[in-house]
Amino acid sequence: MPPPPTAALSSSSSLCLFPLSSYSSPKKTQLGFCPSFPFTRLTNFTPTRRLMTCSAVSIEKETLISHRPHTFLRETDGLDDGSVRSRFQRMIMEVQDSVCGALEAVDGAGKFKEDAWTRPGGGGGISRVLQDGDVFEKAGVNISVVYGVMPPEAYRAAKANVTDQMPGPVPFFAAGISSVLHPKNPFAPTLHFNYRYFETDAPKDAPGAPRQWWFGGGTDLTPSYIFEEDVKHFHSIQKKACDKFDPSFYPRFKKWCDDYFYIKHRDERRGLGGIFFDDLNDYDQEMLLSFATECANSVVPAYVPIVEKRKNTPFTESHKAWQQLRRGRYIEFNLVYDRGTTFGLKTGGRIESILVSLPLTARWEYDHKPEEGSEEWKLLDACMNPKEWM
């Protein structure tokens, strides 16, 4: 079963913070960071607590800037000091460039529009969107590098032992890359990926409190039709990236992905999964930075060959209609269950950033049921009953 609903604590248009109980280690509680297209691990906070927490949060508005800066880091962090912050920022900027370049090459006609922005509290981000190209209906690839302050209750949720102190606001740093890619051809799958890094500093009135950090992210595939060789190729790349670091990662994170992207009111998954993880800090920090980098760099080899193979496949109006129905499921998950999206909508974040993950077009039909044994039925069955592809 999927985890229960989470509570949101803070947000900007491309940044959402959630108190999260550790999925793999219930004894510890941490915070999850979700840039642009939010991923969250879910917690046992009650709805009353969630509403009280959300109502106390103020949202910082972004300011658009004319040129992409070299860095969003503060000078006090050091621009090229070899810190995890600077190296993670460099990684996500490089991945944004490589993914956008690969997608433009596949599309052949579409070009990414870029918006760069900053926040009053520090940091900023770069949003890139390719819309209505020859191959991609809509493709967004965003990065965020953000400084802020968590309210005391967020810090208490992040620490296991807080009975001996009542800390004030806690400074945080969060950086990530996030993307959703919607091709036009119904035989080419949608892809989502997101990788992020989060740190907290000691609050001013609790100087002895330790700095905390963690990594999160994942890559998942959402096709309208199953080509088994495509799905196996995609999962094999995820497994290969995981196996370089720990053979337990792929089965663990694959199940986590299946459980997270669960549309409860439909009793089905959004797609055919991939990997998903959060709150990772119980391994060496250097190893996890390398792992997140490996996963992010695996996006192009995992996805682009599939799109190249399927982008010109002939299709009928019936195939397109089924794709539009599956896009409806995608929207349902994002607007009903994705905590970052729903929180951003309720708290006045930048709407273009919040909804950039949604496709241009979708469809809903009353009581639609695919014929048993059909290709459409096979996809739905796989979404209802997750399979082992490797």
Side-chain angles (χ1 to χ4, degrees):
M1 290 296 294
T6 187
L9 288 179
S10 180
S11 173
S12 74
S13 70
S14 57
L15 174 70
C16 299
L17 302 174
F18 300 81
L20 307 171
S21 58
S22 176
Y23 189 90
S24 58
S25 304
K27 67 180 182 294
K28 70 178 182 178
T29 304
Q30 297 187 345
L31 289 170
F33 160 61
C34 319
S36 304
F37 310 110
F39 269 137
T40 62
R41 176 126 34 94
L42 307 173
T43 188
N44 55 0
F45 278 33
T46 63
T48 301
R49 173 63 181 275
R50 184 159 62 246
L51 290 173
M52 291 175 62
T53 304
C54 291
S55 65
V57 174
S58 61
I59 307 303
E60 278 196 339
K61 295 292 186 180
E62 298 90 347
T63 300
L64 290 177
I65 55 179
S66 58
H67 299 290
R68 170 180 178 166
H70 172 68
T71 181
F72 290 106
L73 294 175
R74 292 171 174 164
E75 291 185 4
T76 53
D77 273 343
L79 302 183
D80 294 298
D81 63 351
S83 68
V84 174
R85 291 185 180 190
S86 64
R87 285 184 288 157
F88 194 88
Q89 177 190 240
R90 184 164 58 249
M91 183 272 282
I92 61 177
M93 285 183 165
E94 290 172 354
V95 170
Q96 185 183 43
D97 287 342
S98 65
V99 170
C100 289
L103 297 179
E104 287 185 348
V106 171
D107 192 275
K111 298 295 181 183
F112 279 92
K113 174 186 176 182
E114 178 177 288
D115 288 328
W117 49 270
T118 60
R119 296 171 78 240
I126 300 167
S127 300
R128 291 182 180 173
V129 178
L130 186 160
Q131 189 164 285
D132 203 19
D134 282 355
V135 172
F136 291 101
E137 177 183 286
K138 192 177 182 185
V141 187
N142 294 355
I143 64 170
S144 302
V145 179
V146 178
Y147 298 83
V149 177
M150 292 187 295
E153 59 266 30
Y155 184 72
R156 288 195 290 271
K159 286 181 58 61
N161 299 305
V162 294
T163 56
D164 59 340
Q165 57 182 300
M166 295 294 290
V170 181
F172 72 85
F173 169 86
I177 182 168
S178 194
S179 175
V180 176
L181 314 174
H182 294 293
K184 289 183 173 180
N185 193 302
F187 295 118
T190 286
L191 182 86
H192 165 270
F193 74 90
N194 172 282
Y195 293 97
R196 54 204 177 272
Y197 174 69
F198 194 101
E199 286 185 7
T200 64
D201 292 324
K204 291 182 179 179
D205 56 354
R211 169 177 288 184
Q212 299 189 22
W213 58 265
W214 53 92
F215 292 85
T219 306
D220 64 281
L221 196 70
T222 306
S224 299
Y225 289 91
I226 296 178
F227 293 93
E228 197 159 315
E229 65 269 30
D230 293 353
V231 184
K232 287 183 176 180
H233 166 79
F234 174 80
H235 277 269
S236 71
I237 299 296
Q238 310 312 308
K239 185 177 186 301
K240 182 179 178 181
C242 290
D243 287 352
K244 287 183 178 181
F245 298 88
D246 190 318
S248 72
F249 277 4
Y250 174 74
R252 174 183 168 194
F253 299 157
K254 191 267 184 189
K255 183 181 186 303
W256 200 338
C257 186
D258 288 336
D259 288 345
Y260 178 74
F261 291 103
Y262 177 65
I263 308 173
K264 298 172 192 168
H265 61 270
R266 299 284 190 181
D267 190 25
E268 64 187 68
R269 274 70 187 172
R270 191 178 72 179
L272 301 185
I275 59 171
F276 172 58
F277 58 89
D278 210 347
D279 288 0
L280 285 192
N281 66 0
D282 49 355
Y283 297 84
D284 178 76
Q285 191 177 34
E286 289 295 322
M287 186 271 261
L288 291 179
L289 175 60
S290 297
F291 174 57
T293 301
E294 181 73 23
C295 290
N297 286 330
S298 296
V299 168
V300 170
Y303 182 63
V304 168
I306 298 174
V307 178
E308 288 280 16
K309 187 187 302 183
R310 306 300 172 190
K311 66 181 183 180
N312 295 319
T313 304
F315 60 87
T316 66
E317 290 185 7
S318 176
H319 295 136
K320 191 66 179 178
W322 173 248
Q323 180 200 46
Q324 299 301 292
L325 288 169
R326 296 310 303 173
R327 293 275 175 81
R329 297 290 204 268
Y330 203 97
I331 292 170
E332 287 179 27
F333 178 85
N334 279 28
L335 296 184
V336 177
Y337 297 113
D338 191 281
R339 307 311 302 176
T341 303
T342 55
F343 181 69
L345 291 173
K346 291 176 182 178
T347 53
R350 183 172 181 255
I351 193 69
E352 297 303 328
S353 295
I354 296 168
L355 298 184
V356 73
S357 65
L358 302 184
L360 285 182
T361 58
R363 179 184 181 101
W364 285 265
E365 292 182 12
Y366 179 76
D367 197 27
H368 182 275
K369 293 183 176 66
E371 181 181 352
E372 186 170 349
S374 66
E375 294 303 312
E376 291 80 6
W377 180 89
K378 291 177 184 177
L379 183 281
L380 183 59
D381 179 66
C383 289
M384 299 181 73
N385 302 289
K387 303 181 185 301
E388 297 300 324
W389 299 101
M390 299 305 301

